[in-house]
Amino acid sequence: MIGLISATAAGAAARDRLAAAWPDRTRVYEGPAGEAVRAAFAECDRLVCFLATGATVRLLAPLLGDKAADPGVVCVDEGGRFAVSLVGGHGGGANELAHEVAQLLGAEPVVTTATDAVGLAGLDTLGLPAEGAVAAVSRALLDGVPVSLEAESAWPLPPVPFAGQGAYTVRLTDRAVQPGPREVLLRPPSLVVGVGASRGAPVGEVLGLIEEALREAGLSVRSVAELATVDAKSEEPGIVAAAGRLGVPLVTYPADELAAVAVPNPSDAPLAAVGTPSVAEAAALRTGGELLVPKRKSAASPAMATCAVVRRPGRGRLAVVGLGPGARDLLTPRAAAELRRASVLVGLDQYVDQIRDLIRPGTRVLESGLGAEEERARTAVAEARKGHAVALIGSGDAGVYAMASPALAEASDDIDVVGVPGVTAALAAGAVLGAPLGHDHVSISLSDLHTPWEVIERRVRAAAEADIVVTFYNPRSRGRDWQLPKALAVLSGHREPETPVGVVRNASRPDESARLTTLAGLDPATVDMMTVVTVGNTATRNIAGRMVTPRGYRWQHAPEGAR
């Protein structure tokens, strides 16, 4: 929950804007500022104070304890010009919150954390528990001192400029080891603990068994990703409470699925009780991986709990990212976040150039030229299979005539795939023209490099006969100059010569140009590969120089006898 505190009418107005935008995330604290800050600090995980920074610092000073536990605090000035990350930038989430608040209020985010200031991913922001000399190793990274990475398993980390060998070390491990004086331990969520329990098993017995099993195996409890059990035990209080105390989800599986998992230690007791010869081992192994701790029972008499531990392999992550049509403000925040998260970026060289300033230090960039789409897709998937966090970029939306299709054709279920939508060229061009896509519409690529012309022509003819607005991608190039005239001729057989046609080149970019013409008046020679051509349907009109397709067909005259 985010606590909101203000002291003036202007602050209250901005406060109320946040409260209205985030009704489920925020709580307004009324009354004197000092009392409100104290109450919010005790009850919320983050605060936004619409107060002067000096006043906020004085109110916070006696409340501050441990930066790992204190809430993050953002301070917004009286004029709503700046959202300052004041306390708990990383651990308390204030840096991220400052950006969110600034975006909503139209303010400027102010973040002074050293790693954020130079674009480095902070070691305490990698999404993994960090132990050891976080400040010292972070300082070494900032100063350009070599810091080596020792990864005991592949894991999709965000970009950090690690060196081959260095006096400082970041070690990725799930083993219960202590960090050295110049070392940071990162704990990957690599351990799955399968749990079985008799009805009424105490949480202390379940939790004690888990902790003992991990300790004796030399494994860190901070790397436990989830507890797993059979569906019949999904509401068993001792298991549910143990997952809650460990701060991990409880995952359950049907008994027949667990019965199909080969285990080293089956038993007749769970088979009779819940329908599977194994609960703990089978539930842990169900996720795949290496069995580190075979089934063991709790020490109580009679034993009411069992557990087993599996180390699951790290899964690479492939984000297929649409960059939009070119304008920076049409690049979505989600796309920008994925670019910052990726340790490997794969893309067409000219698209990489568009976002090169957003790439964090330490990101490995694999770029290539036109015509290498399938090679880029294979490269991105191969890098993800090595355990990396990969971003494969394309223009517009990555799923529309772009990189998602070839990438997903290469990918199997051994990696995680995330799609990040982007603004398409058709949408960007439509916004420039007016509202040409107000009713049913279709996009058709006129490039016959990968699709036979006979298929393309059949699709154009179907759209023409169905009276659907058509947007042509890849309409014309130096080597393909006859396809657009042919497609226009097909449409002309079903639409009037005066049908509006919009032509937009480099939509949203600095050299954008647009014009509105007609089906009879369009000169194909003025069109190239950077152009999108949108042909209206029989209801589309030119209204005040804008191309408009109505949501209904009320503008058309009904046929005789149809009224």
Side-chain angles (χ1 to χ4, degrees):
M1 186 63 65
I2 302 172
L4 305 180
I5 301 101
S6 62
T8 66
R15 175 204 68 193
D16 291 344
R17 286 176 61 190
L18 283 190
W22 300 336
D24 299 327
R25 301 175 60 192
T26 57
R27 180 186 304 161
V28 173
Y29 286 80
E30 304 280 4
E35 295 177 10
V37 168
R38 284 191 293 274
F41 196 90
E43 298 170 357
C44 298
D45 53 9
R46 289 181 290 178
L47 281 67
V48 179
C49 297
F50 296 86
L51 307 166
T53 53
T56 306
V57 167
R58 292 182 183 279
L59 292 173
L60 289 173
L63 307 176
L64 297 176
D66 183 352
K67 72 173 186 177
D70 289 341
V73 180
V74 170
C75 189
V76 179
D77 67 291
E78 181 78 1
R81 298 169 301 166
F82 304 103
V84 183
S85 174
L86 194 64
V87 172
H90 286 166
N95 290 354
E96 179 183 357
L97 181 60
H99 285 280
E100 289 186 86
V101 170
Q103 184 175 17
L104 196 149
L105 297 180
E108 183 74 22
V110 179
V111 175
T112 58
T113 310
T115 50
D116 293 76
V118 297
L120 282 176
L123 295 176
D124 51 354
T125 66
L126 300 182
L128 303 178
E131 305 171 17
V134 174
V137 176
S138 296
R139 173 55 59 189
L141 287 168
L142 287 166
D143 291 343
V145 176
V147 176
S148 60
L149 173 66
E150 296 180 4
E152 296 178 3
S153 62
W155 210 265
L157 292 175
V160 178
F162 293 119
Q165 293 292 328
Y168 295 83
T169 305
V170 172
R171 191 178 354 166
L172 184 75
T173 180
D174 58 17
R175 294 186 297 114
V177 295
Q178 293 300 313
R182 294 187 170 188
E183 184 176 56
V184 169
L185 302 181
L186 295 179
R187 301 298 191 183
S190 55
L191 304 178
V192 177
V193 180
V195 181
S198 303
R199 181 176 299 175
V203 61
E205 183 173 343
V206 176
L207 192 59
L209 172 63
I210 293 171
E211 292 174 341
E212 180 183 17
L214 293 170
R215 182 171 58 254
E216 292 185 3
L219 300 171
S220 172
V221 69
R222 301 192 76 186
S223 279
V224 174
E226 60 191 40
L227 299 191
T229 190
V230 67
D231 281 349
K233 296 296 179 180
S234 63
E235 297 181 1
E236 184 63 43
I239 296 178
V240 173
R245 292 191 188 180
L246 291 171
V248 299
L250 175 63
V251 179
T252 66
Y253 300 101
D256 58 347
E257 284 190 23
L258 297 185
V261 178
V263 298
N265 301 293
S267 173
D268 292 335
L271 179 62
V274 294
T276 172
S278 172
V279 173
E281 286 181 340
L285 287 166
R286 175 64 178 75
T287 60
E290 174 190 5
L291 183 64
L292 301 180
V293 179
K295 181 181 75 174
R296 58 184 294 166
K297 297 180 180 180
S298 53
S301 183
M304 299 185 71
T306 60
C307 82
V309 182
V310 161
R311 176 185 286 138
R312 63 184 183 184
R315 289 171 61 87
R317 186 176 189 276
L318 173 62
V320 188
V321 181
L323 300 179
R328 178 56 59 84
D329 59 352
L330 292 182
L331 176 75
T332 67
R334 186 180 301 180
E338 289 294 346
L339 297 178
R340 292 192 297 269
R341 177 173 181 165
S343 61
V344 179
L345 187 139
V346 182
L348 179 68
D349 47 14
Q350 64 189 55
Y351 297 154
V352 173
D353 287 341
Q354 289 180 24
I355 48 86
R356 201 175 293 275
D357 61 304
L358 298 179
I359 301 172
R360 274 180 159 167
T363 303
R364 186 157 48 95
V365 179
L366 306 176
E367 53 189 306
S368 52
L370 286 168
E373 287 80 8
E374 293 181 353
E375 178 186 345
R376 283 194 291 275
R378 286 192 293 269
T379 297
V381 171
E383 291 293 331
R385 285 191 174 127
K386 295 176 184 177
H388 298 305
V390 182
L392 175 62
I393 62 172
S395 67
D397 182 279
V400 179
Y401 304 122
M403 294 305 301
S405 294
L408 269 60
E410 291 286 335
S412 54
D413 61 0
D414 57 345
I415 62 173
D416 295 324
V417 178
V418 177
V420 182
V423 178
T424 67
L427 295 177
V432 173
L433 295 170
L437 309 182
H439 207 285
D440 298 337
H441 54 275
V442 63
S443 295
I444 299 177
S445 172
L446 294 183
S447 172
D448 56 358
L449 296 177
H450 300 288
T451 305
W453 173 253
E454 293 76 15
V455 175
I456 296 173
E457 184 173 356
R458 187 164 67 245
R459 293 170 179 172
V460 175
R461 194 171 303 281
E465 293 173 352
D467 195 31
I468 296 176
V469 175
V470 182
T471 296
F472 289 124
Y473 279 70
N474 306 312
R476 185 177 183 273
S477 67
R478 284 179 293 181
R480 295 185 302 101
D481 59 0
W482 58 268
Q483 287 88 344
L484 179 59
K486 183 79 171 179
L488 295 174
V490 172
L491 291 174
S492 296
H494 298 268
R495 300 181 193 180
E496 297 296 327
E498 297 80 20
T499 299
V501 175
V503 181
V504 181
R505 188 176 190 278
N506 284 333
S508 86
R509 301 187 183 188
D511 56 347
E512 169 189 287
S513 64
R515 67 183 188 279
L516 189 57
T517 182
T518 63
L519 191 55
L522 175 62
D523 179 5
T526 63
V527 173
D528 61 13
M529 284 288 288
M530 306 304 293
T531 306
V532 171
V533 177
T534 300
V535 182
N537 65 14
T538 56
T540 305
R541 296 290 184 268
N542 181 337
I543 301 177
R546 302 182 186 91
M547 188 175 178
V548 181
T549 302
R551 291 181 60 184
Y553 283 86
R554 291 172 297 176
W555 292 356
Q556 289 184 293
H557 295 294
E560 195 66 34
R563 297 179 182 177

